[in-house]
């Protein structure tokens, strides 16, 4: 009896190791709502964008003011001149994203992951960065102009960035 079990195990192992199994890969864009390349809409103000993803897209002068963008993603996106006044981007991800000349006033970035993103010539008056993760050089840059208190969370911008 033991001989047959050993032989059956050997045959099964041989079949599993020698027969090719198909590999399937998944991309994040196949499991999330993703916007890529060209964006027709330039006004998302006040909209429900919870969990939306913008990947490798130029969003110059797009209006996201007062949008609910919790858990949203910007990945490799250009956000030049965007209006994000009052946006709720808590628990969001902005990776390899350029915020240039953006209005980030009164925005909520609590618990956001914003690594490898660049903030050039942005207005962060009253923005809340509590527990957000940014590159150290970007924090230093933002601290030079940080001021105000967020109207939604009551957080002081300088304190939320842990400016020294």
């Amino acid at each position: 009896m033991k001989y047959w079990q050993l032989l059956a195990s050997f045959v099964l192992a041989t079949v599993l190791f020698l027969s090719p199994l198909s590999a399937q890969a998944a991309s994040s864009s196949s499991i999330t709502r993703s916007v890529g390349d060209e964006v027709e809409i330039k006004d998302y103000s006040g909209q429900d964008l919870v969990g939306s993803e913008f990947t490798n897209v130029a969003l110059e002068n797009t209006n996201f003011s007062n949008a609910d963008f919790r858990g949203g993603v910007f990945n490799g996106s250009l956000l030049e001149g965007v209006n994000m006044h009052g946006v709720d981007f808590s628990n969001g991800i902005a990776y390899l994203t350029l915020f240039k000349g953006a209005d980030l006033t009164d925005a909520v970035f609590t618990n956001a992951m914003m690594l490898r993103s660049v903030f050039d010539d942005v207005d962060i008056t009253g923005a809340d960065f509590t527990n957000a993760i940014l590159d150290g050089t970007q924090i230093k840059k933002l601290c030079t102009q940080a001021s105000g208190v967020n109207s939604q969370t009551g957080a002081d911008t300088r304190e939320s960035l842990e400016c020294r």
Side-chain angles (χ1 to χ4, degrees):
M1 181 72 161
K2 209 168 199 136
Y3 173 76
W4 291 108
Q5 288 176 338
L6 186 61
L7 182 61
S9 296
F10 177 74
V11 170
L12 181 61
T14 304
V15 168
L16 287 175
F17 287 119
L18 295 179
S19 44
L21 297 174
S22 63
Q24 295 182 6
S27 77
S28 62
S29 62
S30 67
I31 57 174
T32 59
R33 294 185 293 163
S34 180
V35 177
D37 298 330
E38 297 296 320
V39 176
E40 300 287 328
I41 301 171
K42 291 290 185 179
D43 188 2
Y44 294 96
S45 59
Q47 292 189 26
D48 180 358
L49 299 172
V50 174
S52 293
E53 181 178 330
F54 292 85
T55 304
N56 296 323
V57 63
L59 295 164
E60 290 104 333
N61 303 310
T62 300
N63 185 359
F64 289 99
S65 64
N66 301 306
D68 185 358
F69 202 3
R70 292 172 293 147
V73 175
F74 289 116
N75 186 6
S77 297
L78 173 63
L79 300 178
E80 186 171 351
V82 298
N83 180 358
M84 293 184 76
H85 172 83
V87 72
D88 187 349
F89 192 68
S90 54
N91 300 308
I93 297 173
Y95 182 72
L96 287 172
T97 297
L98 175 60
F99 294 89
K100 184 175 183 179
D103 178 358
L104 307 179
T105 58
D106 210 36
V108 178
F109 297 106
T110 58
N111 301 310
M113 259 310 203
M114 304 176 87
L115 293 172
R116 309 274 321 257
S117 290
V118 177
F119 298 85
D120 286 340
D121 193 31
V122 295
D123 186 354
I124 60 166
T125 305
D128 182 357
F129 290 92
T130 303
N131 297 321
I133 300 174
L134 291 87
D135 294 329
T137 55
Q138 297 304 310
I139 292 172
K140 288 179 186 176
K141 184 191 309 185
L142 293 174
C143 282
T144 63
Q145 63 180 26
S147 65
V149 174
N150 188 278
S151 69
Q152 300 167 65
T153 64
D156 179 274
T157 301
R158 290 189 62 76
E159 288 178 18
S160 72
L161 282 167
E162 298 180 3
C163 298
R164 296 181 179 99

